Amino acid sequence: MSGTAPRQEVDFAGTVTVPGGALWGAQTQRALDTFTISDLRFPRGYIGALGSLKRAAARANCELGLLDPALAEAIEAAAGEGADGLLDDHFPVDVFQTGSGTNTNMNANEVIANRANQLLGAPLGAKHPVHPNDHVNLGQSSNDVTPTVVHLTAQAAITHRLVPAFSHLAASLRAIAEATDDVVKPGRTHLQDAVPIRLGQEFLGHAGQIERSICRFRSAQTGLAEVALGGTAVGTGLNTHPEFAGRVVAALAAEFDVELRETENHFQAQNTLDAVVFASGALRSAAASLLKIADDVRWMNSGPRCGLGEIEVPSHSMGSSIMPGKTNPVVAEAVGQVAAKVTGNDSTIALAGGRGSFEITVMTPVAAYCLLESIELLAGAATVFADRCVSGIRATPAGPAAVERSLMMVTALSPRVGYDEAAAIAEEA
């Protein structure tokens, strides 16, 4: 892009200077000049899904007789390059932008139109024969495209990344539970000695937490499967063919191998982020589970000589720059930090979900970014936790030895001698 002379483009507000080799146009350039807030950009999955939607839209409009076949073919080819990641350098718009995501939708329209025109032999910026609004955005609005892409990307990430990662972690925890099921140790409540429990039972409880997290992900996906496409600007479907959305949604569901359907109530689909908020709640619940499990692992691994020391976790690095030989439960600590980030993202999403007026929400981009980030963080944390920590856990003799010293063994006497007498025995001991 830097080696080509800048070009001048004209839009509704006047003349705009665009980098010569850029596939984007005037509207994207205005967004770049305006939104200089952060270095955060939509992730690859989102841009890829947006390209896939534009490709399916061109095909549907052609089938419905609304788009010339030659133009549709060029748009499909260009959008396919976007879907495959070949045009990622041309999607530079900040996440912090217009609350409907209009700037990124227009970015896609301009990039795909310019690339299609290139394929047809026309110069960049020509807007002919392919126009970004009239052709690439035909039958669409940013107000139904953006929430549709959010739902689609989240659906795909949960299905193909998050659920497999959590299933893997659950299997790892169950394997450790089985391997340590004969190890008896003190139970603990309030960090105080309680009646005995098997180490395997503790890990079985952890596996159950993760398995139930997966069930919550599935519940969240029910809402994410319902998409806004077809409502255009305010939910009425103005300027779109009645069959357009159904055709596009079916194509996307098949391409991404996810459940997806056009909503029966476009007004709620476009004026709320309720499904995103609900999904984020499921992610936050999973983060809480991971934090609890990671902390249990840290406590049981504490020591090795002056703590509980009931388990050993794999050592991956030196734990101190000053204390030789020290190691720390570093993977569990990293998982805890992911849980904190996901919890913060959920707070952002909850606030964004309630922020809008009448027919549209106005914090969709940041909600989308946080949701997709949380999914990826949880999937990565679950995988690393399983492979680099849980699978290498080994029981030590400390747990069984501690049972022999535990005063709470007296609990077994209560049915015979009564609570008060058993308490007196414990006090004497």
Side-chain angles (χ1 to χ4, degrees):
M1 283 186 282
S2 59
T4 308
R7 67 180 189 269
Q8 301 297 309
E9 292 201 12
V10 178
D11 66 1
F12 73 98
T15 301
V16 183
T17 301
V18 179
L23 290 178
W24 66 77
Q27 288 300 296
T28 302
Q29 189 60 48
R30 289 192 186 279
L32 288 176
D33 295 340
T34 302
F35 304 113
T36 56
I37 296 173
S38 78
D39 61 355
L40 299 182
R41 303 293 182 264
F42 280 112
R44 163 93 280 276
Y46 185 96
I47 300 302
L50 183 54
S52 292
L53 186 149
K54 298 295 180 180
R55 177 171 56 190
R59 185 178 305 129
N61 280 321
C62 181
E63 293 170 350
L64 294 168
L66 303 174
L67 186 61
D68 179 85
L71 300 188
E73 183 178 356
I75 293 171
E76 285 188 56
E81 292 182 5
D84 293 339
L86 302 180
L87 307 179
D88 282 2
D89 289 345
H90 299 272
F91 285 85
V93 179
D94 200 320
V95 163
F96 298 101
Q97 56 174 275
T98 306
S100 59
T102 298
N103 303 108
T104 294
N105 184 45
M106 274 306 302
N107 187 180
N109 292 334
E110 291 180 335
V111 166
I112 292 168
N114 267 319
R115 180 61 184 139
N117 284 330
Q118 273 189 331
L119 296 174
L120 293 170
L124 294 179
K127 297 185 181 179
H128 182 80
V130 177
H131 191 281
N133 297 82
D134 296 338
H135 302 129
V136 180
N137 200 61
L138 179 60
Q140 306 149 60
S141 164
S142 300
N143 299 354
D144 63 352
V145 166
T146 301
T148 296
V149 175
V150 176
H151 282 213
L152 170 60
T153 312
Q155 278 286 71
I158 292 172
T159 298
H160 303 303
R161 282 277 292 140
L162 187 58
V163 169
F166 267 61
S167 297
H168 177 53
L169 176 56
S172 295
L173 288 166
R174 281 193 171 271
I176 292 299
E178 183 176 349
T180 60
D181 196 49
D182 60 345
V183 179
V184 180
K185 52 157 286 184
R188 293 184 179 85
T189 57
H190 308 277
L191 292 182
Q192 301 298 108
D193 299 347
V195 295
I197 190 173
R198 297 196 302 275
L199 182 57
Q201 290 173 319
E202 283 193 327
F203 283 116
L204 186 64
H206 295 154
Q209 283 185 272
I210 298 303
E211 289 161 354
R212 283 153 183 77
S213 290
I214 295 171
C215 293
R216 296 184 190 102
F217 300 155
R218 299 294 194 196
S219 295
Q221 287 189 284
T222 300
L224 292 172
E226 187 178 10
V227 298
L229 195 68
T232 63
V234 296
T236 61
L238 179 68
N239 290 351
T240 194
H241 192 286
E243 296 180 22
F244 168 78
R247 290 171 181 252
V248 174
V249 169
L252 293 173
E255 178 183 346
F256 287 84
D257 191 23
V258 295
E259 181 186 355
L260 218 61
R261 63 183 182 280
E262 181 184 358
T263 182
E264 297 177 355
N265 186 333
H266 282 278
F267 307 103
Q268 65 78 33
Q270 291 179 214
N271 69 19
T272 75
L273 289 173
D274 291 351
V276 171
V277 173
F278 185 87
S280 180
L283 301 180
R284 179 172 181 162
S285 176
S289 292
L290 283 179
L291 181 60
K292 199 276 182 187
I293 296 167
D295 273 350
D296 280 358
V297 167
R298 290 174 60 242
W299 274 106
M300 287 189 288
N301 181 71
S302 62
R305 296 190 177 183
C306 301
L308 298 181
E310 295 175 349
I311 63 172
E312 293 177 352
V313 301
S315 176
H316 297 294
S317 63
M318 293 304 295
S320 172
S321 62
I322 191 173
M323 293 177 281
K326 190 176 189 300
T327 61
N328 299 324
V330 293
V331 172
E333 291 172 358
V335 168
Q337 292 174 74
V338 167
K341 185 67 170 71
V342 171
T343 301
N345 282 352
D346 181 62
S347 295
T348 300
I349 291 168
L351 178 62
R355 192 66 179 171
S357 303
F358 305 111
E359 276 66 59
I360 194 171
T361 55
V362 293
M363 289 191 180
T364 301
V366 72
Y369 183 89
C370 289
L371 182 72
L372 299 177
E373 181 183 55
S374 290
I375 293 170
E376 288 301 317
L377 286 173
L378 287 173
T383 300
V384 170
F385 197 24
D387 292 343
R388 306 291 287 174
C389 181
V390 173
S391 63
I393 287 175
R394 299 291 180 267
T396 72
V403 171
E404 300 300 321
R405 304 191 305 272
S406 174
L407 295 178
M408 291 305 98
M409 294 295 290
V410 76
T411 304
L413 294 176
S414 291
R416 298 295 186 93
V417 303
Y419 183 94
D420 291 339
E421 185 63 26
I425 294 171
E427 178 65 22
E428 183 177 349

